[in-house]
Amino acid sequence: MTTTPETSARQPREPWEPALSVRQVLDLERVQAGQPEVVAGAHRLDRPVRWVHVAEAADVGVMLSGGEMVLTTGVLLAGDEDKQGEYVRSLDRAEAAAVVLGLGRAFPAPPEVMRRAAERCGLPMVVLHRPFPFAELTEEVQSRLLRRKYAAVSLSEAVRTELTGLITAGAPVQRLLDEVTRHAGCPVVVTNLAHRVLATAGERAAVDDVLRDWERIARQAGAGSADGWIRAELGCRGERWGRLVLCGYGGDRAAGRVLADRAAEALVLHRMLAGDGTHGGVSAGSWDSWEEQSARSLLTDLVTGAVPARQLLPRARAAGLPVNRRVFVPLVVREREPDRPARVLRRLGLTGIAARLADDHVAVLLSLAPDQDARALTAHFATRLRAEPDAAHTVVAAADARADWTDVPAGLREAQHVADAVADSATALDPPPVVRLRDIHLRGLVRLLRDDPHVQSFAERELDGLLRGTDQDLLPVLRTYLATGRNKSRTAQLHHVSRPALYRRLEAIQGRLGVDLDDFEQAASVHIALLAHDAQQG
């Protein structure tokens, strides 16, 4: 059944109350036996029928409450065209769903006055060409409505119980949505009021199909013109802050509305229970975390290559990231406070997404217009980020800007590699605001080769004397000494020891390793082995 703005206006007050449409009633086998013919209001056959009522009086509207399909033989209307017209107008004022006239007793053919009045009012008018006992139609429709209502109430209670149980067990939002999808058999999407996708559930291929042209079809669904799309508003205390949408629900629409409403209730409850003491007990942070989860899912799939980049375009658009005719700057930030990069992005008004990948790694993807200076904006972002309190040791690693979306995954992996390579030397080096591949030199190469068995064997062999030793203070001293370019004064300063004490430690290191650190080649060999060892440990 396709819902239109007109039918939406005639919905019963209970949004989940089960109803049959006029079209569905006419398709019933018992009704078909009466050879029904729609003679007026054919464009309104998707109106909901809440009840069936037999009435002959001209002022029948006073007996109706809306949504009834009225059955009549017209015996009290025959011969009086004024009564015939008033009968139809009375039904329309009462918001009846349709009028069904049985031909034969009073009218051998559809009365033209009633037909014209029904057409002007937009009231579906159906005539039955063969004698038909109205009691059979009433019994059939009422029994179906009662069964649907019972099924809707049962579904409502079952879903509410399951979702409430998940919430009390501390289940995350995604677990709730997965359960809703299991009941719905279709993708489920949660958005903010601007149609930006915050969370999804369902088979990946089906979700991607839904998101491919998300903004257009989301607005179409909001206008009530998308078949099988059922949405429920998210909000509390008079404030709306999002929507839940069942995308392409194939079951009974009443059941779909039940499911959407119960799911919306569960999400609101989940958000309230996650409140952090903000206004109304609702946590803005908990809602923001949904956006972060959406960004994390997208960026993780890009970095890992689990999904081809081209297939991720619909999700990127739906998440609010501009992708058409844009330049992308992949970044990875080593940051103790993973929420900070996203805050700085918003503060600077830069278009992009940010999310924590693992531990202290935060992936950032900037989306810039072709005429924007990617390098300058990246440097500006990094400078502002490192100027934040307690962010002096933050590392911002970047790959070169990508004009093609399919190159973004490689760029993110390159930025991740750079961030990892520079992190181990943070105590000895003062990295530039933005670190790139060319800035990590030998350390970057060793990082790439760290899993090679030959490199692992080389590192173990070169450092064996220290790795097997009991004095664990010597390895950090060696690391600092080599990272500072064998600067003894700087090394002593960083380790807070005197020069004579440092000399004794360096002599111990050389004795354990059997090398002369004043010899450039031997020192270089030990340095490479130490870089490889640190990369493997990292």
Side-chain angles (χ1 to χ4, degrees):
M1 182 178 77
T2 302
T3 303
T4 65
E6 291 83 3
T7 60
S8 297
R10 304 249 184 190
Q11 293 287 342
R13 279 188 291 272
E14 285 292 337
W16 57 266
E17 186 174 348
L20 293 166
S21 68
V22 175
R23 190 188 311 278
Q24 288 173 316
V25 172
L26 298 181
D27 287 340
L28 296 176
E29 186 176 350
R30 286 188 178 184
V31 180
Q32 286 294 311
Q35 295 182 356
E37 177 190 1
V38 180
V39 297
H43 61 293
R44 295 287 189 87
L45 294 183
D46 289 313
R47 277 182 164 183
V49 176
R50 291 194 305 110
W51 212 243
V52 177
H53 190 69
V54 180
E56 304 285 358
D59 60 347
V60 62
V62 298
M63 296 180 284
L64 307 178
S65 59
E68 295 90 351
M69 173 179 277
V70 177
L71 312 179
T72 181
T73 61
V75 292
L76 298 182
L77 305 175
D80 190 332
E81 293 186 348
D82 290 340
K83 285 186 177 180
Q84 295 168 22
E86 177 57 26
Y87 185 85
V88 172
R89 289 188 291 273
S90 178
L91 293 177
D92 179 61
R93 288 193 297 271
E95 296 190 339
V99 58
V100 179
L101 174 65
L103 300 180
R105 295 191 62 186
F107 298 99
E112 189 61 21
V113 172
M114 292 182 69
R115 191 198 66 77
R116 287 200 303 268
E119 194 65 49
R120 282 195 297 271
C121 294
L123 176 71
M125 178 175 174
V126 182
V127 296
L128 301 174
H129 288 279
R130 294 186 61 182
F132 182 82
F134 286 167
E136 290 188 11
L137 174 57
T138 303
E139 179 185 11
E140 176 79 9
V141 174
Q142 316 301 46
S143 63
R144 285 177 179 265
L145 289 175
L146 288 173
R147 287 198 301 269
R148 288 157 68 96
K149 185 168 186 176
Y150 176 76
V153 171
S154 298
L155 176 64
S156 175
E157 291 307 309
V159 172
R160 178 184 280 126
T161 300
E162 290 178 15
L163 296 183
T164 302
L166 289 173
I167 292 172
T168 56
V173 166
Q174 189 61 51
R175 180 68 183 87
L176 269 63
L177 294 179
D178 290 341
E179 186 67 17
V180 175
T181 299
R182 186 180 69 82
H183 281 283
C186 68
V188 177
V189 175
V190 178
T191 76
N192 62 16
L193 296 180
H195 303 289
R196 180 171 179 174
V197 174
L198 303 178
T200 63
E203 294 183 2
R204 184 181 295 276
V207 171
D208 287 346
D209 284 343
V210 166
L211 298 184
R212 190 156 286 114
D213 194 11
W214 170 252
E215 186 169 347
R216 180 185 64 80
I217 57 182
R219 294 185 186 279
Q220 189 178 29
S225 57
D227 189 23
W229 285 59
I230 301 173
R231 75 175 189 173
E233 301 297 328
L234 301 174
C236 63
R237 302 183 186 275
E239 180 186 2
R240 292 190 304 119
W241 30 262
R243 300 182 180 92
L244 177 140
V245 187
L246 305 185
C247 308
Y249 181 75
D252 178 76
R253 190 168 185 83
R257 286 199 297 272
V258 170
L259 188 55
D261 288 346
R262 295 298 83 82
E265 288 176 5
L267 294 185
V268 171
L269 177 60
H270 188 282
R271 186 185 183 194
M272 292 182 69
L273 292 177
D276 59 0
T278 56
H279 177 67
V282 177
S283 166
S286 66
W287 189 248
D288 291 342
S289 70
W290 288 24
E291 296 194 34
E292 200 272 345
Q293 289 174 22
S294 175
R296 181 189 300 179
S297 173
L298 175 61
L299 289 170
T300 299
D301 284 346
L302 283 169
V303 170
T304 62
V307 182
R310 195 167 297 281
Q311 292 183 21
L312 294 173
L313 270 173
R315 287 168 57 189
R317 290 193 190 96
L321 185 73
V323 294
N324 294 332
R325 294 184 294 278
R326 305 290 287 188
V327 173
F328 306 99
V329 181
L331 308 170
V332 169
V333 180
R334 294 290 295 260
E335 167 66 71
R336 295 174 182 173
E337 189 179 334
D339 295 335
R340 186 152 41 196
R343 291 202 305 269
V344 172
L345 274 183
R346 289 193 293 267
R347 196 176 304 146
L348 295 178
L350 289 174
T351 303
I353 55 176
R356 182 174 60 182
L357 295 181
D359 299 328
D360 57 352
H361 286 66
V362 179
V364 180
L365 183 60
L366 301 181
S367 174
L368 307 176
D371 59 349
Q372 291 181 288
D373 190 333
R375 282 186 171 272
L377 289 174
T378 303
H380 184 44
F381 166 73
T383 301
R384 287 291 296 272
L385 182 62
R386 296 182 66 185
E388 292 281 304
D390 302 321
H393 295 295
T394 293
V395 174
V396 180
D400 290 336
R402 263 60 176 172
D404 191 330
W405 172 260
T406 58
D407 292 335
V408 169
L412 284 169
R413 287 191 288 271
E414 178 183 312
Q416 189 173 38
H417 164 64
V418 172
D420 287 341
V422 76
D424 294 336
S425 61
T427 57
L429 300 176
D430 183 18
V434 181
V435 186
R436 301 181 186 276
L437 191 61
R438 64 173 174 273
D439 298 319
I440 58 175
H441 308 296
L442 177 61
R443 185 178 299 275
L445 176 62
V446 172
R447 192 94 191 174
L448 285 174
L449 300 175
R450 63 181 175 177
D451 294 328
D452 188 296
H454 298 292
V455 175
Q456 295 171 359
S457 177
F458 168 75
E460 290 291 322
R461 184 173 61 251
E462 289 289 303
L463 301 175
D464 181 63
L466 283 182
L467 297 178
R468 288 191 296 106
T470 58
D471 191 348
Q472 297 302 312
D473 291 336
L474 297 180
L475 198 63
V477 170
L478 174 63
R479 182 181 293 111
T480 304
Y481 179 63
L482 295 174
T484 57
R486 295 182 293 175
N487 186 320
K488 294 183 176 68
S489 297
R490 179 63 173 155
T491 301
Q493 181 183 13
L494 287 172
H495 284 273
H496 307 289
V497 297
S498 64
R499 290 284 293 268
L502 175 66
Y503 294 155
R504 289 194 295 272
R505 294 186 185 185
L506 291 177
E507 288 174 2
I509 291 171
Q510 294 180 103
R512 296 275 186 86
L513 298 181
V515 298
D516 179 5
L517 292 179
D518 289 329
D519 181 85
F520 175 78
E521 185 173 342
Q522 294 184 53
S525 180
V526 172
H527 194 187
I528 293 172
L530 186 57
L531 291 176
H533 170 76
D534 289 346
Q536 291 157 15
Q537 296 300 308

Short mmCIF file of all heavy atoms in Angstrom, two decimals, residues 331 339-355 363-367 381 385:
data_model
loop_
_atom_site.label_atom_id
_atom_site.label_comp_id
_atom_site.label_asym_id
_atom_site.label_seq_id
_atom_site.Cartn_x
_atom_site.Cartn_y
_atom_site.Cartn_z
N LEU A 331 44.28 11.80 7.28
CA LEU A 331 45.14 12.08 8.43
C LEU A 331 44.96 10.97 9.46
O LEU A 331 43.89 10.37 9.56
CB LEU A 331 44.77 13.41 9.10
CG LEU A 331 44.68 14.67 8.24
CD1 LEU A 331 44.08 15.80 9.06
CD2 LEU A 331 46.06 15.06 7.76
N ASP A 339 38.46 12.34 21.41
CA ASP A 339 37.36 13.19 20.96
C ASP A 339 37.84 14.56 20.48
O ASP A 339 37.09 15.31 19.85
CB ASP A 339 36.34 13.40 22.09
CG ASP A 339 35.65 12.11 22.48
OD1 ASP A 339 35.58 11.21 21.61
OD2 ASP A 339 35.18 12.01 23.63
N ARG A 340 39.10 14.90 20.78
CA ARG A 340 39.58 16.25 20.51
C ARG A 340 39.66 16.58 19.02
O ARG A 340 39.26 17.69 18.62
CB ARG A 340 40.93 16.46 21.19
CG ARG A 340 41.43 17.88 21.07
CD ARG A 340 42.31 18.29 22.21
NE ARG A 340 43.25 17.26 22.64
CZ ARG A 340 43.90 17.31 23.80
NH1 ARG A 340 43.69 18.30 24.64
NH2 ARG A 340 44.75 16.35 24.14
N PRO A 341 40.17 15.71 18.14
CA PRO A 341 40.24 16.07 16.72
C PRO A 341 38.88 16.46 16.13
O PRO A 341 38.79 17.44 15.36
CB PRO A 341 40.80 14.81 16.06
CG PRO A 341 41.62 14.17 17.12
CD PRO A 341 40.86 14.42 18.39
N ALA A 342 37.81 15.75 16.49
CA ALA A 342 36.49 16.10 15.96
C ALA A 342 36.05 17.46 16.47
O ALA A 342 35.45 18.25 15.72
CB ALA A 342 35.47 15.02 16.35
N ARG A 343 36.33 17.77 17.72
CA ARG A 343 35.97 19.07 18.27
C ARG A 343 36.70 20.19 17.56
O ARG A 343 36.12 21.24 17.24
CB ARG A 343 36.26 19.13 19.77
CG ARG A 343 35.36 18.24 20.62
CD ARG A 343 35.34 18.74 22.07
NE ARG A 343 36.68 18.83 22.63
CZ ARG A 343 37.28 17.86 23.29
NH1 ARG A 343 36.67 16.69 23.45
NH2 ARG A 343 38.49 18.02 23.80
N VAL A 344 37.99 19.99 17.29
CA VAL A 344 38.77 21.02 16.60
C VAL A 344 38.26 21.20 15.17
O VAL A 344 38.19 22.33 14.66
CB VAL A 344 40.27 20.67 16.63
CG1 VAL A 344 41.07 21.63 15.76
CG2 VAL A 344 40.79 20.69 18.06
N LEU A 345 37.90 20.09 14.52
CA LEU A 345 37.32 20.19 13.17
C LEU A 345 36.11 21.10 13.18
O LEU A 345 35.97 21.99 12.33
CB LEU A 345 36.92 18.80 12.66
CG LEU A 345 37.95 17.93 11.96
CD1 LEU A 345 37.29 16.65 11.49
CD2 LEU A 345 38.60 18.65 10.80
N ARG A 346 35.19 20.86 14.12
CA ARG A 346 33.97 21.66 14.17
C ARG A 346 34.29 23.12 14.50
O ARG A 346 33.68 24.04 13.95
CB ARG A 346 33.01 21.07 15.22
CG ARG A 346 32.39 19.76 14.80
CD ARG A 346 31.22 19.39 15.71
NE ARG A 346 31.67 19.09 17.06
CZ ARG A 346 31.97 17.89 17.51
NH1 ARG A 346 31.86 16.84 16.69
NH2 ARG A 346 32.35 17.70 18.75
N ARG A 347 35.24 23.31 15.41
CA ARG A 347 35.58 24.67 15.82
C ARG A 347 36.15 25.48 14.66
O ARG A 347 35.89 26.67 14.53
CB ARG A 347 36.58 24.61 16.97
CG ARG A 347 36.74 25.91 17.74
CD ARG A 347 37.68 25.71 18.91
NE ARG A 347 37.22 24.63 19.77
CZ ARG A 347 38.03 23.83 20.43
NH1 ARG A 347 39.34 23.94 20.31
NH2 ARG A 347 37.54 22.88 21.21
N LEU A 348 36.92 24.81 13.81
CA LEU A 348 37.53 25.49 12.66
C LEU A 348 36.58 25.57 11.46
O LEU A 348 36.90 26.23 10.47
CB LEU A 348 38.81 24.77 12.24
CG LEU A 348 39.96 24.78 13.26
CD1 LEU A 348 41.14 23.97 12.73
CD2 LEU A 348 40.38 26.20 13.59
N GLY A 349 35.45 24.87 11.54
CA GLY A 349 34.52 24.89 10.41
C GLY A 349 35.00 24.08 9.22
O GLY A 349 34.57 24.32 8.10
N LEU A 350 35.89 23.11 9.47
CA LEU A 350 36.39 22.27 8.39
C LEU A 350 35.43 21.11 8.14
O LEU A 350 34.91 20.51 9.08
CB LEU A 350 37.78 21.73 8.74
CG LEU A 350 38.93 22.73 8.74
CD1 LEU A 350 40.21 22.08 9.25
CD2 LEU A 350 39.14 23.32 7.36
N THR A 351 35.22 20.79 6.88
CA THR A 351 34.35 19.69 6.52
C THR A 351 35.13 18.39 6.57
O THR A 351 36.15 18.24 5.90
CB THR A 351 33.77 19.88 5.10
OG1 THR A 351 33.08 21.13 5.06
CG2 THR A 351 32.79 18.76 4.76
N GLY A 352 34.65 17.45 7.37
CA GLY A 352 35.35 16.17 7.46
C GLY A 352 34.74 15.33 8.56
O GLY A 352 33.80 15.73 9.26
N ILE A 353 35.28 14.12 8.72
CA ILE A 353 34.84 13.22 9.78
C ILE A 353 36.07 12.73 10.52
O ILE A 353 37.18 12.68 9.97
CB ILE A 353 34.05 12.01 9.22
CG1 ILE A 353 34.87 11.26 8.15
CG2 ILE A 353 32.72 12.46 8.66
CD1 ILE A 353 34.17 10.01 7.64
N ALA A 354 35.86 12.38 11.78
CA ALA A 354 36.96 11.89 12.62
C ALA A 354 36.42 10.82 13.54
O ALA A 354 35.29 10.91 14.02
CB ALA A 354 37.58 13.03 13.42
N ALA A 355 37.23 9.80 13.79
CA ALA A 355 36.82 8.73 14.70
C ALA A 355 38.04 7.95 15.16
O ALA A 355 39.01 7.80 14.41
CB ALA A 355 35.82 7.79 14.02
N ALA A 363 41.53 8.54 13.17
CA ALA A 363 41.55 8.81 11.73
C ALA A 363 40.72 10.05 11.46
O ALA A 363 39.63 10.24 12.03
CB ALA A 363 41.01 7.62 10.96
N VAL A 364 41.23 10.90 10.59
CA VAL A 364 40.53 12.13 10.19
C VAL A 364 40.54 12.18 8.67
O VAL A 364 41.60 11.97 8.06
CB VAL A 364 41.19 13.39 10.78
CG1 VAL A 364 40.45 14.64 10.34
CG2 VAL A 364 41.27 13.32 12.29
N LEU A 365 39.40 12.47 8.08
CA LEU A 365 39.32 12.60 6.63
C LEU A 365 38.70 13.95 6.31
O LEU A 365 37.52 14.18 6.57
CB LEU A 365 38.49 11.47 6.02
CG LEU A 365 38.40 11.47 4.48
CD1 LEU A 365 39.79 11.33 3.86
CD2 LEU A 365 37.49 10.34 4.00
N LEU A 366 39.52 14.85 5.77
CA LEU A 366 39.03 16.17 5.37
C LEU A 366 38.48 16.09 3.96
O LEU A 366 39.05 15.41 3.09
CB LEU A 366 40.15 17.20 5.42
CG LEU A 366 40.85 17.44 6.77
CD1 LEU A 366 41.92 18.51 6.62
CD2 LEU A 366 39.84 17.81 7.83
N SER A 367 37.37 16.79 3.72
CA SER A 367 36.78 16.88 2.39
C SER A 367 36.76 18.35 2.00
O SER A 367 36.00 19.15 2.57
CB SER A 367 35.35 16.31 2.39
OG SER A 367 34.73 16.51 1.14
N PHE A 381 44.88 23.03 10.93
CA PHE A 381 44.21 22.07 11.82
C PHE A 381 45.20 21.47 12.81
O PHE A 381 44.94 21.39 14.02
CB PHE A 381 43.56 20.97 10.98
CG PHE A 381 43.14 19.75 11.77
CD1 PHE A 381 42.04 19.79 12.60
CD2 PHE A 381 43.88 18.57 11.68
CE1 PHE A 381 41.66 18.67 13.34
CE2 PHE A 381 43.51 17.45 12.41
CZ PHE A 381 42.40 17.50 13.24
N LEU A 385 45.25 21.92 16.84
CA LEU A 385 45.09 20.71 17.65
C LEU A 385 46.21 20.60 18.68
O LEU A 385 45.97 20.31 19.86
CB LEU A 385 45.08 19.48 16.74
CG LEU A 385 44.87 18.13 17.42
CD1 LEU A 385 43.51 18.07 18.10
CD2 LEU A 385 44.98 17.00 16.39
#
